[in-house]
Amino acid sequence: MLSGIRFSRSLVSQGKAGLAQNLRYASSSASLGSADGSFDKDRITKSVGDPTRREFTYFMLGGARLVYASAARLALIKFVASMSASADVLALASAEFDVSGIAEGTTLTVKWRGKPVFIRHRTDAEIDQEAAVNLGGLRDPQSDGARTQDPKWLVVLGICTHLGCVPISGAGEYGGWFCPCHGSHYDVSGRIRKGPAPLNLEIPPYTLTDSKLVVG
């Protein structure tokens, strides 16, 4: 009877010891991520990488960025260069004309930027006539003095302000220009006096020095 009780107690003690051992093993295994020990057996160790290769990586990244920056710079330079005016365009930007051979009372028609330009060498009578015009009766009021740098010379674009036709010099009711397309009459100051044109003939940018006229 007593021996049986001792045997039972021994079994209980052994069971408690085994349970404690199993708990310690399970605890240690759980800390590694597996309760059955397979973590250690099947674990794959990841390589941290060779620290010495970082310099090579940084070099490759920096080199790639340098190449991209150089390509972007080259593209920008080409774009800006394409926006610049070419030599032939710059040549057309201004034009020089000799006006010494234009007789008084006559008009010379020249070409600037593909447009006709009228250069009128006016007589004293024409100058006095245009200066005496009443501005109140004009559709586009503008004094003769405001349209000329030198009263002897009138420089205007030869394009009718109605529909862009080229007026005829020395024609019309006012002795200046006449557009036969729709009947617009301009005086010797290039001002619209009659017809459908809404504005005076345009004055291009120009400089006049002695016998040289530079338009543009």
Side-chain angles (χ1 to χ4, degrees):
M1 182 71 176
L2 293 174
S3 61
I5 293 174
R6 292 193 186 95
F7 179 74
S8 299
R9 290 180 176 176
S10 176
L11 290 177
V12 172
S13 300
Q14 292 178 0
K16 290 181 178 180
L19 178 60
Q21 183 178 3
N22 289 335
L23 288 175
R24 286 195 301 271
Y25 177 78
S27 176
S28 62
S29 298
S31 65
L32 296 176
S34 175
D36 58 0
S38 61
F39 178 82
D40 292 331
K41 180 178 64 176
D42 300 328
R43 181 178 181 181
I44 299 177
T45 303
K46 294 184 179 180
S47 176
V48 177
D50 187 359
T52 60
R53 294 182 60 85
R54 292 178 183 175
E55 296 180 359
F56 176 75
T57 303
Y58 294 155
F59 173 78
M60 292 299 295
L61 291 175
R65 292 177 180 176
L66 178 61
V67 170
Y68 293 150
S70 300
R73 175 178 174 274
L74 181 60
L76 180 61
I77 291 175
K78 289 185 176 181
F79 175 74
V80 172
S82 67
M83 297 292 289
S84 302
S86 58
D88 55 345
V89 173
L90 291 175
L92 294 175
S94 62
E96 182 178 314
F97 305 99
D98 184 2
V99 297
S100 60
I102 305 176
E104 284 191 0
T106 62
T107 301
L108 174 67
T109 302
V110 297
K111 192 174 183 180
W112 171 68
R113 292 185 179 179
K115 302 176 183 179
V117 176
F118 296 148
I119 305 174
R120 177 80 175 188
H121 190 181
R122 304 192 300 180
T123 64
D124 292 336
E126 290 174 339
I127 296 172
D128 294 338
Q129 173 185 318
E130 299 308 323
V133 171
N134 181 14
L135 301 182
L138 298 179
R139 181 176 303 165
D140 184 13
Q142 196 173 20
S143 67
D144 182 67
R147 295 180 56 79
T148 59
Q149 296 182 16
D150 182 344
K152 298 289 291 183
W153 297 96
L154 176 72
V155 182
V156 293
L157 290 181
I159 299 176
C160 180
T161 57
H162 180 219
L163 292 177
C165 304
V166 179
I168 300 173
S169 298
E173 296 182 10
Y174 297 89
W177 292 271
F178 172 68
C179 182
C181 299
H182 300 92
S184 294
H185 298 255
Y186 299 89
D187 60 21
V188 187
S189 188
R191 297 173 295 196
I192 181 63
R193 301 295 295 272
K194 185 178 179 180
L199 301 172
N200 303 329
L201 293 178
E202 182 181 352
I203 300 176
Y206 72 93
T207 56
L208 181 63
T209 56
D210 296 331
S211 61
K212 298 296 181 181
L213 174 69
V214 178
V215 182

